[in-house]
Amino acid sequence: MMHMTFYWGREVTILVNSWHTKTWLGYSLSLLACLLASIFYQYLENLRMRLKLISSGSVKAKPSPSATIDEPLLQTMGARAGGAVLFGINSGIGYLLMLVVMSFNGGVFLAVVLGLAIGYSLFRSEEENSMLLDNPCACA
């Protein structure tokens, strides 16, 4: 019978068999990569939320001096298309982070959660937090 429990140690396989750590240096660099990927996930999520706010009209983009009648429509369509692309990319990164955590290594888990927390604190403003509902799931 196999039990799925967290373990602590430097030997871990992350995502693919070729990403297997055997040394403390390799393990540390892998934890750093997980941390940075989690921070990047939050950066992209913030960018997507900003585009969503702009396209919904909650936050007004600065009008250009040479604004035409169709420009707001184009900005909204561009923001929606950009938001859709960012959503797809971010969903992929979120699911990869979920699979990374499923290595069941305690250090990897802590690196991902810490990266998400750091990214959230770096890229979210109070104004955005008051306008949006948070979803604690990294892959949502």
Side-chain angles (χ1 to χ4, degrees):
M1 177 179 356
M2 189 168 148
H3 295 282
M4 302 304 266
T5 59
F6 280 99
Y7 68 95
W8 299 91
R10 70 175 187 250
E11 289 196 31
V12 62
T13 301
I14 301 174
L15 294 177
V16 292
N17 287 335
S18 58
W19 191 354
H20 182 81
T21 64
K22 293 181 180 175
T23 65
W24 284 110
L25 177 63
Y27 182 65
S28 300
L29 291 174
S30 295
L31 293 181
L32 180 62
C34 293
L35 181 93
L36 294 175
S38 301
I39 293 171
F40 183 65
Y41 171 87
Q42 287 291 20
Y43 169 75
L44 289 181
E45 183 66 11
N46 182 56
L47 191 58
R48 187 178 73 82
M49 288 296 134
R50 285 179 180 265
L51 283 173
K52 187 175 184 177
L53 287 173
I54 289 169
S55 68
S56 72
S58 297
V59 174
K60 301 290 183 202
K62 282 188 175 178
S64 67
S66 61
T68 64
I69 294 172
D70 294 332
E71 192 170 294
L73 178 62
L74 292 175
Q75 285 178 346
T76 302
M77 288 175 52
R80 287 183 57 86
V85 168
L86 284 173
F87 178 80
I89 292 169
N90 228 27
S91 293
I93 294 171
Y95 282 114
L96 287 173
L97 288 173
M98 178 190 66
L99 291 172
V100 165
V101 167
M102 289 178 64
S103 69
F104 292 101
N105 180 277
V108 170
F109 173 77
L110 291 177
V112 169
V113 172
L114 183 62
L116 291 171
I118 290 170
Y120 184 90
S121 67
L122 286 176
F123 301 115
R124 288 289 178 98
S125 71
E126 287 304 314
E127 177 185 322
E128 291 164 339
N129 287 339
S130 66
M131 291 184 192
L132 299 169
L133 293 174
D134 285 328
N135 188 341
C137 180
C139 54

